[in-house]
Each structure stands twice: as C-alpha cells, then as structure tokens.
Amino acid sequence: MTPPPAKPAQVPVAAPRPEAFGRWQPRLQTCERNLAGAGSGECGAVLVDQRSAGVMRVSWPGRGGPGQASVLTFVGTMAAGSEPMACRQAICSLSKPIELTLSSVSQSLFDGRGVASGLPSAWPVNGSCRLDTRRIRCEARALSGETWTASASLN
C-alpha cells in the first residue's frame, strides 16, 4: 500500500494593505463653485485625489464661459486630527470627516475640444476644505484679494 500524496503546504495570504493614494469621486446632489473674478456657477463633479497620507487635491470641473470648460482645484494638507481616506487599487472611500488647510488654488480653462486654452493660473492661499459623507466645502483667499468658494451636497 502506497501512502497518500502529500498535500501542498498552504501559504497564508495577507489582507491587502491600504494604499496612501487614490481618488474619491462622490455622487452629487448639488454642486456650485466660483472662479476668480466671476460669479458662481454649477460644477459637474468633485474629484478628491489623495497624493499621500497627508496631501489632497479637490478639483471641481465645470463650465468656464461660452464654449469653454474649466477646472478649479484646491490643494492642501490634512489638519491635525484628520485621518487619510482608505484607498485600494487607487479607489478611495471617505468614512470620517477630513479638514484640509489649503496652500494653493489653481484654475485651468479648456476649449470645446478639451484642449487647454493656456497655462493654469495658480495662487498661494489661506483657506480650508471640509469633506464629509454628506457635504464638501472649500473656501480660499489669496494674499492679492481673490476669493474662491466651492460646495457640493452629496447623495
């Protein structure tokens, strides 16, 4: 009688580790933002990019004018007490509110074909963003006096 074949050794599989980077694109109920020197207007999305465990970019694409599209972007670092989003395979989810201390704002304009209409304009700013599962709001002011606000209610 021959002994049964040996079973292959089972190697434990570790749970995937959370990543420090990725994107969260929440579903919107309402979305509004303003560009420097312009009134407020609707935006089509909010894109929250986590570049590392402490740096985030919040972008608000929308119309820039007749036949133009634009993107308003706030960049900042997480305030004390905030925790990074949980990300896997570059897709993030928000489970706890996050406060950002803003350092810069930029605006980019695009023509009807999606081609950039020039270099982005950027400003150093003082301001903040608050992100939670129901609302996102960013406010910033440049040293030269320009102001930007953007807010979205989430589904």
Side-chain angles (χ1 to χ4, degrees):
M1 182 170 193
T2 57
K7 290 184 180 177
Q10 291 189 358
V11 178
V13 177
R17 291 180 12 169
E19 300 164 351
F21 63 91
R23 173 176 281 179
W24 175 49
Q25 184 174 353
R27 292 185 181 186
L28 305 180
Q29 218 170 31
T30 63
C31 186
E32 189 173 85
R33 85 227 161 117
N34 77 295
L35 301 177
S40 62
E42 290 184 17
C43 39
V46 179
L47 309 172
V48 181
D49 292 303
Q50 184 166 277
R51 297 308 205 182
S52 67
V55 178
M56 298 181 119
R57 176 176 72 186
V58 184
S59 300
W60 307 74
R63 289 194 146 163
Q68 288 187 322
S70 65
V71 178
L72 174 63
T73 302
F74 298 85
V75 176
T77 55
M78 282 192 292
S82 290
E83 295 180 18
M85 295 186 293
C87 302
R88 282 207 169 70
Q89 297 181 339
I91 298 171
C92 301
S93 60
L94 182 72
S95 59
K96 297 180 182 179
I98 294 176
E99 284 279 343
L100 300 177
T101 301
L102 297 176
S103 56
S104 68
V105 167
S106 66
Q107 291 180 187
S108 303
L109 293 174
F110 303 90
D111 68 16
R113 299 171 297 156
V115 176
S117 298
L119 295 173
S121 299
W123 297 264
V125 297
N126 291 315
S128 64
C129 286
R130 178 168 172 80
L131 296 78
D132 64 47
T133 57
R134 302 184 92 193
R135 183 175 171 89
I136 299 174
R137 179 161 179 81
C138 296
E139 298 176 311
R141 181 178 192 84
L143 299 174
S144 52
E146 294 94 339
T147 60
W148 299 266
T149 59
S151 62
S153 298
L154 312 179
N155 284 334

